[in-house]
Structure formats: C-alpha cells, structure tokens
Amino acid sequence: MATSMNCTRWLVFTLYILFLTLFLSVISLANAADDIVFQSGNQQKLNVGVAKARRFLLYDVNPGEGFNLRRDVYMRMANLVGALGETEDWTLVLPPWGRIYHWQNRHLDQVRIPWSTFFDVPSLNRHIPVIELEEYIKIRGKPEIDQILYLQSYKEGWSNGKFEEKVDERDCIDRPMYQKDSDGLYRGWFWGYEDVYAKAFKCVSIQGFTTTIAPVLINNITATSVFLDRGEELLHDSYGQVDYWNARRSMRFAKHLTDIGDDFRRGFLNSDDKRDKTEVTEDWRDMRRDPGSATGGPYIAVHLRRQDYARGGRKDVPTLQAAAEHVEGLLKKLKLKIVFLATDAPKREIDEFKKYLSNFKVVNYVPPKVVLEKYMDGGVAIIDQWICAHARYFIGTGVSTFTFRINEERQILGFDPKMTYNRFCGHAEEPDCEQPSAWKIVY
C-alpha cells in the first residue's frame, strides 16, 4: 500500500514539474515577443511567440516631403499590408495629415486632419483594410503603439557599389525624434496627438522594397501594432504593375471636393462629365477606360510650379513669358480659347501670366473662405488637380509629383497619353526637351 502511494505521489510530482517547466517557457517567450534580432544580408533570426489575431501597421514620412509624395508612400504601405495579409490579418492605420511645407496658409490649424477630408476612405478599403488613427485608438482602448521601427539607410552606403536587399537593426544615424520619458515610454511627434506614445523603439537600416521588410514583420515581431517611421525608405515592390495601379485607382478623392471641382468646371469652363466622356463608376474596380476614350472639356489645363522651383533657379523651370507663349501656341493648334491655371505662384505672377495671354480667357480656382477653412490647402490642391484632370489637354511641370498625380488621374479617366504627358521646357533647356514617359495602366 505504501509503495503504491509513493508511486502515485512521484507521478503527481513529475507531472507538476513538467507543467511548471512548460508554463515558464511560455512566459519566457511572451517576455521576448517584441525582441528583434537581425542578421546582415537579410537573414533574420526568429525569436518570437505566436502573433496576435489582428495586427496594425502605422507609418509616417520625412516631415519635409510634400502632399503628393506622401500619396505615393501610401501606395507602398497599402501594398505592403496587402502582402502581409496573405499570411496574417493586418490593417493599415492612415496617418493624419498636417505640417506639410507647401501648405502656405499658416493661419489655419492644419494638423490632425483625417484622410476622409481629402479621400474616399471606403474606396481605399476596397483595396486593403484601412482605418483612421482615431478609430485605431478606440480599438486599442488607449493611444498606444507597441513598436516603432525608425527606418534609415545604411551609413556606409552600398556595399562595393552594388545594390542588394538587406535589413539590420543598427544604431541610429541621426538623433531620434523620440525620447524615453520617466515611465519608459517613447514620446515624440505623432501627427499632432500629444497623448500618443510608443512602448518600444529601434532604428533599422534597410535597403530594398516593401517586400524586404515583410518577413521581419511576420517572423521577427509579435507586437500588435508596428509603426514604420520614414516609410519613404521602402521602395515600390511592383512599380507600374497591377498592385501599383490597384492602389492608385483606389485613391479616389472625397466627393465633397470633386463636387466643388465639377461645379467650377460647369460654371467657368463649359465642362461636364457627360459631354467630356469622363464619367466614373461607383466602384473603381469596375472602371476600365481605353486610352483616348475621354475627350475632356474645351480648355487647356496648366500646372505651373513656381515658389521653390523658381527661387532655386532650376534649369527645367520656364520663365512666365516663355510658358505663356507655349500655351498660346497650343491654344491655336487645338482651336481652344480657355486656360485653367493651377499654380503656387503669388498673385503678381498670376497676373503677369494672364497679361501675356490677354487674348484668351485664363482662369484659376480661388477658394471661398469657407472652403479654405473647411478643407484647407490640401483640399484646394485636390480641387485644382481634379479640374486639370478633365481638360482637353494638360501640360505640367517637370519632375513635379503634383503634375505626375494629374497624369495618373487622366490615365484612369481614359485620356490619350499624348494629351496628358506633357511638360514645359525650362529656360536652360532645348525647346524640344524630353517629355515625360507615359505609364500604361495594368489591370
């Protein structure tokens, strides 16, 4: 009887030890869940536990980048989330707009601006899952980000002058914008939300594409939310291909802004979608237009970037007189009499441009006070782009992302590339300077 009881006790004790060992192992893995271990040459070491059911990707861009470059970085992040979504449940958190250099109306409080002010968020959701930052905070129950990955280039540059995909945890090259407070939490600029904080921070050197970081997010990190700062460090994985165009086509402008643009077209440019053959479907996925199917309104649209371009003395920037003379030639060639001007030029330069074209009607959109205060500089820029996108002929400014986004919009609407991909030749260039390359939509 004693022997049988001792065996039973020994069996219970053994099972207890096994259970305790297993429990401590799980705790150890949980504590190490957010540790990231990188090895050079894109060889990442797995050192994590089981990932959460739903995960969130946040991102931001170098503060000096403009509105339209930020739109391009969105497309990269959207397709990164699309790739991550093939393995796990990821949602992209849209970074609020604000503090953009080109927004000159400093009297406006242009921070913490939700994406719905400028874009059709349900349309974005037809491509990948997205939510606004404030919705993310409500879901998490607190203004908390689990992990910041501050992306940077390699201090030593390319190895042997060759580009290769790689990612490594490194010391920060520049002084981080985030500092640890007395509670061990990281504080810094989080889109103007002073209560937002992060629990962990690391600098990561990366050289590659959105797919380069994807294995790190899947295999090396179990944090529920990951914030990629300096998102522009990641290159497009499939530039100009199906995923690129799906992301771009999903970026429809907010209807309240396109309605303002359409009203202006009807009132000042004798232009509407039915006559111009620029009608759109409710869902971007159902819309495919043949190049040349759109005719556009009876006007030429001009994007003439001045300000920093003109001050910098760039050789690809035309003088106002040269630009006006070129537009006059186009008007005569196309037998048109109206010009729509989108520009960041001061009023005196706009007046000068109009004076050179005094035999024609030149109009530009000047927002009423209520529109400017409600939709701010970003909304006014979108109205300008929308009007330019519907012109019979468009000519823009070389290497300007504002111009390039208009090019894409016109491609989507079905304009002939020859009526779309045009730019002014600069004061130090030949009159027959190289024109922009046309990018065909891939469905």
mmCIF file of all heavy atoms in Angstrom, residues 62-96:
data_model
loop_
_atom_site.group_PDB
_atom_site.id
_atom_site.type_symbol
_atom_site.label_atom_id
_atom_site.label_comp_id
_atom_site.label_asym_id
_atom_site.label_seq_id
_atom_site.Cartn_x
_atom_site.Cartn_y
_atom_site.Cartn_z
ATOM 1 N N ASN A 62 9.145 61.416 -43.872
ATOM 2 C CA ASN A 62 10.015 62.553 -43.566
ATOM 3 C C ASN A 62 9.198 63.848 -43.591
ATOM 4 O O ASN A 62 8.491 64.119 -44.561
ATOM 5 C CB ASN A 62 11.123 62.601 -44.627
ATOM 6 C CG ASN A 62 12.111 63.714 -44.394
ATOM 7 O OD1 ASN A 62 11.931 64.566 -43.533
ATOM 8 N ND2 ASN A 62 13.166 63.722 -45.173
ATOM 9 N N PRO A 63 9.260 64.662 -42.542
ATOM 10 C CA PRO A 63 8.430 65.881 -42.477
ATOM 11 C C PRO A 63 8.581 66.804 -43.677
ATOM 12 O O PRO A 63 7.666 67.558 -44.002
ATOM 13 C CB PRO A 63 8.928 66.559 -41.197
ATOM 14 C CG PRO A 63 9.468 65.457 -40.358
ATOM 15 C CD PRO A 63 10.063 64.475 -41.317
ATOM 16 N N GLY A 64 9.713 66.763 -44.358
ATOM 17 C CA GLY A 64 9.921 67.662 -45.485
ATOM 18 C C GLY A 64 9.247 67.237 -46.770
ATOM 19 O O GLY A 64 9.227 68.005 -47.745
ATOM 20 N N GLU A 65 8.690 66.045 -46.801
ATOM 21 C CA GLU A 65 8.065 65.545 -48.033
ATOM 22 C C GLU A 65 6.693 66.180 -48.250
ATOM 23 O O GLU A 65 5.966 66.465 -47.307
ATOM 24 C CB GLU A 65 7.933 64.021 -47.995
ATOM 25 C CG GLU A 65 9.251 63.291 -47.812
ATOM 26 C CD GLU A 65 10.207 63.488 -48.971
ATOM 27 O OE1 GLU A 65 9.803 64.048 -50.002
ATOM 28 O OE2 GLU A 65 11.382 63.082 -48.851
ATOM 29 N N GLY A 66 6.341 66.364 -49.524
ATOM 30 C CA GLY A 66 5.099 67.027 -49.873
ATOM 31 C C GLY A 66 3.895 66.102 -49.930
ATOM 32 O O GLY A 66 3.995 64.885 -49.775
ATOM 33 N N PHE A 67 2.751 66.720 -50.188
ATOM 34 C CA PHE A 67 1.465 66.026 -50.193
ATOM 35 C C PHE A 67 1.426 64.864 -51.189
ATOM 36 O O PHE A 67 0.982 63.764 -50.876
ATOM 37 C CB PHE A 67 0.368 67.046 -50.523
ATOM 38 C CG PHE A 67 -1.032 66.517 -50.452
ATOM 39 C CD1 PHE A 67 -1.613 66.189 -49.241
ATOM 40 C CD2 PHE A 67 -1.791 66.353 -51.607
ATOM 41 C CE1 PHE A 67 -2.918 65.716 -49.173
ATOM 42 C CE2 PHE A 67 -3.090 65.883 -51.550
ATOM 43 C CZ PHE A 67 -3.652 65.555 -50.321
ATOM 44 N N ASN A 68 1.934 65.098 -52.391
ATOM 45 C CA ASN A 68 1.790 64.083 -53.437
ATOM 46 C C ASN A 68 2.825 62.972 -53.353
ATOM 47 O O ASN A 68 2.574 61.848 -53.794
ATOM 48 C CB ASN A 68 1.805 64.763 -54.806
ATOM 49 C CG ASN A 68 0.535 65.558 -55.040
ATOM 50 O OD1 ASN A 68 -0.532 65.004 -55.257
ATOM 51 N ND2 ASN A 68 0.637 66.880 -54.945
ATOM 52 N N LEU A 69 3.988 63.249 -52.779
ATOM 53 C CA LEU A 69 4.934 62.171 -52.485
ATOM 54 C C LEU A 69 4.377 61.288 -51.382
ATOM 55 O O LEU A 69 4.519 60.064 -51.407
ATOM 56 C CB LEU A 69 6.293 62.758 -52.091
ATOM 57 C CG LEU A 69 7.495 61.815 -51.869
ATOM 58 C CD1 LEU A 69 7.487 61.133 -50.513
ATOM 59 C CD2 LEU A 69 7.588 60.772 -52.983
ATOM 60 N N ARG A 70 3.699 61.893 -50.416
ATOM 61 C CA ARG A 70 3.078 61.124 -49.338
ATOM 62 C C ARG A 70 1.995 60.193 -49.886
ATOM 63 O O ARG A 70 1.792 59.086 -49.365
ATOM 64 C CB ARG A 70 2.485 62.060 -48.286
ATOM 65 C CG ARG A 70 3.555 62.786 -47.481
ATOM 66 C CD ARG A 70 2.991 63.920 -46.648
ATOM 67 N NE ARG A 70 4.053 64.630 -45.957
ATOM 68 C CZ ARG A 70 4.467 64.362 -44.713
ATOM 69 N NH1 ARG A 70 3.869 63.401 -44.027
ATOM 70 N NH2 ARG A 70 5.449 65.044 -44.179
ATOM 71 N N ARG A 71 1.305 60.628 -50.915
ATOM 72 C CA ARG A 71 0.323 59.751 -51.551
ATOM 73 C C ARG A 71 1.017 58.532 -52.148
ATOM 74 O O ARG A 71 0.494 57.411 -52.102
ATOM 75 C CB ARG A 71 -0.436 60.519 -52.641
ATOM 76 C CG ARG A 71 -1.385 61.569 -52.100
ATOM 77 C CD ARG A 71 -1.984 62.407 -53.223
ATOM 78 N NE ARG A 71 -2.765 61.609 -54.151
ATOM 79 C CZ ARG A 71 -3.276 62.071 -55.293
ATOM 80 N NH1 ARG A 71 -3.066 63.335 -55.628
ATOM 81 N NH2 ARG A 71 -3.976 61.296 -56.074
ATOM 82 N N ASP A 72 2.204 58.746 -52.703
ATOM 83 C CA ASP A 72 2.959 57.638 -53.277
ATOM 84 C C ASP A 72 3.404 56.658 -52.188
ATOM 85 O O ASP A 72 3.343 55.441 -52.377
ATOM 86 C CB ASP A 72 4.181 58.175 -54.021
ATOM 87 C CG ASP A 72 4.916 57.091 -54.779
ATOM 88 O OD1 ASP A 72 4.482 56.761 -55.900
ATOM 89 O OD2 ASP A 72 5.914 56.563 -54.261
ATOM 90 N N VAL A 73 3.836 57.179 -51.038
ATOM 91 C CA VAL A 73 4.245 56.307 -49.939
ATOM 92 C C VAL A 73 3.047 55.519 -49.418
ATOM 93 O O VAL A 73 3.183 54.351 -49.038
ATOM 94 C CB VAL A 73 4.906 57.126 -48.811
ATOM 95 C CG1 VAL A 73 5.232 56.229 -47.620
ATOM 96 C CG2 VAL A 73 6.178 57.792 -49.318
ATOM 97 N N TYR A 74 1.866 56.143 -49.424
ATOM 98 C CA TYR A 74 0.663 55.385 -49.043
ATOM 99 C C TYR A 74 0.518 54.141 -49.906
ATOM 100 O O TYR A 74 0.222 53.046 -49.402
ATOM 101 C CB TYR A 74 -0.606 56.238 -49.165
ATOM 102 C CG TYR A 74 -1.839 55.360 -49.192
ATOM 103 C CD1 TYR A 74 -2.372 54.844 -48.017
ATOM 104 C CD2 TYR A 74 -2.426 54.967 -50.402
ATOM 105 C CE1 TYR A 74 -3.466 53.977 -48.040
ATOM 106 C CE2 TYR A 74 -3.511 54.110 -50.434
ATOM 107 C CZ TYR A 74 -4.025 53.607 -49.246
ATOM 108 O OH TYR A 74 -5.090 52.732 -49.284
ATOM 109 N N MET A 75 0.716 54.275 -51.215
ATOM 110 C CA MET A 75 0.557 53.127 -52.102
ATOM 111 C C MET A 75 1.544 52.012 -51.753
ATOM 112 O O MET A 75 1.206 50.825 -51.803
ATOM 113 C CB MET A 75 0.714 53.552 -53.562
ATOM 114 C CG MET A 75 -0.407 54.442 -54.060
ATOM 115 S SD MET A 75 -0.344 54.713 -55.841
ATOM 116 C CE MET A 75 0.949 55.940 -55.955
ATOM 117 N N ARG A 76 2.752 52.386 -51.380
ATOM 118 C CA ARG A 76 3.737 51.382 -50.978
ATOM 119 C C ARG A 76 3.275 50.651 -49.720
ATOM 120 O O ARG A 76 3.367 49.413 -49.633
ATOM 121 C CB ARG A 76 5.099 52.048 -50.717
ATOM 122 C CG ARG A 76 5.631 52.856 -51.886
ATOM 123 C CD ARG A 76 6.941 53.542 -51.534
ATOM 124 N NE ARG A 76 7.116 54.775 -52.287
ATOM 125 C CZ ARG A 76 8.157 55.581 -52.191
ATOM 126 N NH1 ARG A 76 9.140 55.267 -51.355
ATOM 127 N NH2 ARG A 76 8.239 56.690 -52.903
ATOM 128 N N MET A 77 2.786 51.416 -48.742
ATOM 129 C CA MET A 77 2.339 50.810 -47.490
ATOM 130 C C MET A 77 1.076 49.967 -47.690
ATOM 131 O O MET A 77 0.901 48.925 -47.066
ATOM 132 C CB MET A 77 2.080 51.904 -46.446
ATOM 133 C CG MET A 77 3.332 52.649 -46.034
ATOM 134 S SD MET A 77 4.562 51.546 -45.298
ATOM 135 C CE MET A 77 6.054 52.447 -45.702
ATOM 136 N N ALA A 78 0.197 50.449 -48.560
ATOM 137 C CA ALA A 78 -1.023 49.688 -48.840
ATOM 138 C C ALA A 78 -0.675 48.326 -49.421
ATOM 139 O O ALA A 78 -1.236 47.292 -49.016
ATOM 140 C CB ALA A 78 -1.914 50.469 -49.804
ATOM 141 N N ASN A 79 0.257 48.288 -50.350
ATOM 142 C CA ASN A 79 0.619 47.012 -50.962
ATOM 143 C C ASN A 79 1.464 46.158 -50.033
ATOM 144 O O ASN A 79 1.457 44.926 -50.147
ATOM 145 C CB ASN A 79 1.321 47.258 -52.297
ATOM 146 C CG ASN A 79 0.337 47.683 -53.378
ATOM 147 O OD1 ASN A 79 -0.846 47.323 -53.335
ATOM 148 N ND2 ASN A 79 0.796 48.463 -54.332
ATOM 149 N N LEU A 80 2.166 46.785 -49.091
ATOM 150 C CA LEU A 80 2.835 46.013 -48.046
ATOM 151 C C LEU A 80 1.800 45.305 -47.182
ATOM 152 O O LEU A 80 1.933 44.109 -46.886
ATOM 153 C CB LEU A 80 3.707 46.936 -47.187
ATOM 154 C CG LEU A 80 4.304 46.319 -45.918
ATOM 155 C CD1 LEU A 80 5.138 45.089 -46.241
ATOM 156 C CD2 LEU A 80 5.130 47.362 -45.158
ATOM 157 N N VAL A 81 0.760 46.025 -46.783
ATOM 158 C CA VAL A 81 -0.307 45.408 -45.988
ATOM 159 C C VAL A 81 -1.006 44.318 -46.793
ATOM 160 O O VAL A 81 -1.384 43.276 -46.252
ATOM 161 C CB VAL A 81 -1.312 46.480 -45.511
ATOM 162 C CG1 VAL A 81 -2.604 45.843 -44.995
ATOM 163 C CG2 VAL A 81 -0.677 47.336 -44.427
ATOM 164 N N GLY A 82 -1.168 44.552 -48.099
ATOM 165 C CA GLY A 82 -1.752 43.508 -48.938
ATOM 166 C C GLY A 82 -0.919 42.242 -48.923
ATOM 167 O O GLY A 82 -1.458 41.123 -48.851
ATOM 168 N N ALA A 83 0.413 42.391 -48.965
ATOM 169 C CA ALA A 83 1.305 41.228 -48.923
ATOM 170 C C ALA A 83 1.264 40.554 -47.551
ATOM 171 O O ALA A 83 1.215 39.319 -47.451
ATOM 172 C CB ALA A 83 2.734 41.647 -49.269
ATOM 173 N N LEU A 84 1.276 41.362 -46.490
ATOM 174 C CA LEU A 84 1.199 40.803 -45.141
ATOM 175 C C LEU A 84 -0.121 40.071 -44.920
ATOM 176 O O LEU A 84 -0.183 39.070 -44.210
ATOM 177 C CB LEU A 84 1.335 41.927 -44.105
ATOM 178 C CG LEU A 84 2.680 42.656 -44.044
ATOM 179 C CD1 LEU A 84 2.575 43.877 -43.135
ATOM 180 C CD2 LEU A 84 3.780 41.731 -43.560
ATOM 181 N N GLY A 85 -1.170 40.592 -45.555
ATOM 182 C CA GLY A 85 -2.499 39.997 -45.400
ATOM 183 C C GLY A 85 -2.628 38.605 -45.965
ATOM 184 O O GLY A 85 -3.585 37.888 -45.662
ATOM 185 N N GLU A 86 -1.678 38.191 -46.776
ATOM 186 C CA GLU A 86 -1.695 36.821 -47.298
ATOM 187 C C GLU A 86 -1.332 35.808 -46.218
ATOM 188 O O GLU A 86 -1.607 34.619 -46.365
ATOM 189 C CB GLU A 86 -0.727 36.706 -48.474
ATOM 190 C CG GLU A 86 -1.127 37.560 -49.676
ATOM 191 C CD GLU A 86 -0.107 37.483 -50.801
ATOM 192 O OE1 GLU A 86 0.886 36.727 -50.641
ATOM 193 O OE2 GLU A 86 -0.285 38.169 -51.819
ATOM 194 N N THR A 87 -0.707 36.297 -45.126
ATOM 195 C CA THR A 87 -0.280 35.412 -44.034
ATOM 196 C C THR A 87 -1.026 35.684 -42.744
ATOM 197 O O THR A 87 -1.397 34.765 -42.021
ATOM 198 C CB THR A 87 1.235 35.588 -43.782
ATOM 199 O OG1 THR A 87 1.946 35.342 -44.995
ATOM 200 C CG2 THR A 87 1.734 34.632 -42.700
ATOM 201 N N GLU A 88 -1.257 36.948 -42.447
ATOM 202 C CA GLU A 88 -1.902 37.345 -41.205
ATOM 203 C C GLU A 88 -2.944 38.430 -41.476
ATOM 204 O O GLU A 88 -3.019 38.953 -42.584
ATOM 205 C CB GLU A 88 -0.862 37.888 -40.208
ATOM 206 C CG GLU A 88 0.177 36.872 -39.779
ATOM 207 C CD GLU A 88 1.197 37.464 -38.820
ATOM 208 O OE1 GLU A 88 1.403 38.703 -38.848
ATOM 209 O OE2 GLU A 88 1.792 36.696 -38.060
ATOM 210 N N ASP A 89 -3.699 38.755 -40.438
ATOM 211 C CA ASP A 89 -4.740 39.777 -40.533
ATOM 212 C C ASP A 89 -4.144 41.128 -40.158
ATOM 213 O O ASP A 89 -3.964 41.429 -38.974
ATOM 214 C CB ASP A 89 -5.903 39.414 -39.603
ATOM 215 C CG ASP A 89 -7.046 40.420 -39.695
ATOM 216 O OD1 ASP A 89 -7.016 41.274 -40.603
ATOM 217 O OD2 ASP A 89 -7.972 40.346 -38.862
ATOM 218 N N TRP A 90 -3.832 41.958 -41.167
ATOM 219 C CA TRP A 90 -3.236 43.269 -40.943
ATOM 220 C C TRP A 90 -4.178 44.367 -41.428
ATOM 221 O O TRP A 90 -4.866 44.206 -42.431
ATOM 222 C CB TRP A 90 -1.912 43.405 -41.694
ATOM 223 C CG TRP A 90 -0.770 42.677 -41.059
ATOM 224 C CD1 TRP A 90 -0.479 41.344 -41.164
ATOM 225 C CD2 TRP A 90 0.257 43.245 -40.242
ATOM 226 N NE1 TRP A 90 0.658 41.051 -40.456
ATOM 227 C CE2 TRP A 90 1.130 42.194 -39.881
ATOM 228 C CE3 TRP A 90 0.512 44.538 -39.784
ATOM 229 C CZ2 TRP A 90 2.245 42.405 -39.080
ATOM 230 C CZ3 TRP A 90 1.626 44.753 -38.984
ATOM 231 C CH2 TRP A 90 2.483 43.689 -38.635
ATOM 232 N N THR A 91 -4.150 45.479 -40.712
ATOM 233 C CA THR A 91 -4.911 46.676 -41.087
ATOM 234 C C THR A 91 -3.961 47.867 -41.130
ATOM 235 O O THR A 91 -3.122 48.023 -40.236
ATOM 236 C CB THR A 91 -6.045 46.949 -40.079
ATOM 237 O OG1 THR A 91 -6.974 45.854 -40.111
ATOM 238 C CG2 THR A 91 -6.776 48.236 -40.421
ATOM 239 N N LEU A 92 -4.088 48.693 -42.158
ATOM 240 C CA LEU A 92 -3.260 49.892 -42.275
ATOM 241 C C LEU A 92 -3.943 51.047 -41.557
ATOM 242 O O LEU A 92 -5.109 51.355 -41.813
ATOM 243 C CB LEU A 92 -3.045 50.240 -43.745
ATOM 244 C CG LEU A 92 -2.121 51.436 -44.027
ATOM 245 C CD1 LEU A 92 -0.703 51.161 -43.530
ATOM 246 C CD2 LEU A 92 -2.101 51.764 -45.521
ATOM 247 N N VAL A 93 -3.214 51.707 -40.673
ATOM 248 C CA VAL A 93 -3.716 52.877 -39.963
ATOM 249 C C VAL A 93 -3.264 54.120 -40.730
ATOM 250 O O VAL A 93 -2.061 54.335 -40.937
ATOM 251 C CB VAL A 93 -3.195 52.928 -38.519
ATOM 252 C CG1 VAL A 93 -3.754 54.155 -37.799
ATOM 253 C CG2 VAL A 93 -3.586 51.647 -37.770
ATOM 254 N N LEU A 94 -4.216 54.915 -41.178
ATOM 255 C CA LEU A 94 -3.916 56.078 -42.016
ATOM 256 C C LEU A 94 -3.362 57.214 -41.172
ATOM 257 O O LEU A 94 -4.021 57.671 -40.228
ATOM 258 C CB LEU A 94 -5.191 56.529 -42.733
ATOM 259 C CG LEU A 94 -5.842 55.468 -43.629
ATOM 260 C CD1 LEU A 94 -7.222 55.936 -44.081
ATOM 261 C CD2 LEU A 94 -4.959 55.160 -44.838
ATOM 262 N N PRO A 95 -2.168 57.706 -41.488
ATOM 263 C CA PRO A 95 -1.567 58.779 -40.684
ATOM 264 C C PRO A 95 -2.240 60.116 -40.947
ATOM 265 O O PRO A 95 -2.339 60.547 -42.101
ATOM 266 C CB PRO A 95 -0.107 58.803 -41.169
ATOM 267 C CG PRO A 95 -0.182 58.297 -42.585
ATOM 268 C CD PRO A 95 -1.296 57.289 -42.606
ATOM 269 N N PRO A 96 -2.720 60.798 -39.927
ATOM 270 C CA PRO A 96 -3.371 62.097 -40.138
ATOM 271 C C PRO A 96 -2.457 63.065 -40.882
ATOM 272 O O PRO A 96 -1.230 63.036 -40.741
ATOM 273 C CB PRO A 96 -3.655 62.586 -38.711
ATOM 274 C CG PRO A 96 -3.741 61.337 -37.905
ATOM 275 C CD PRO A 96 -2.737 60.403 -38.509
#
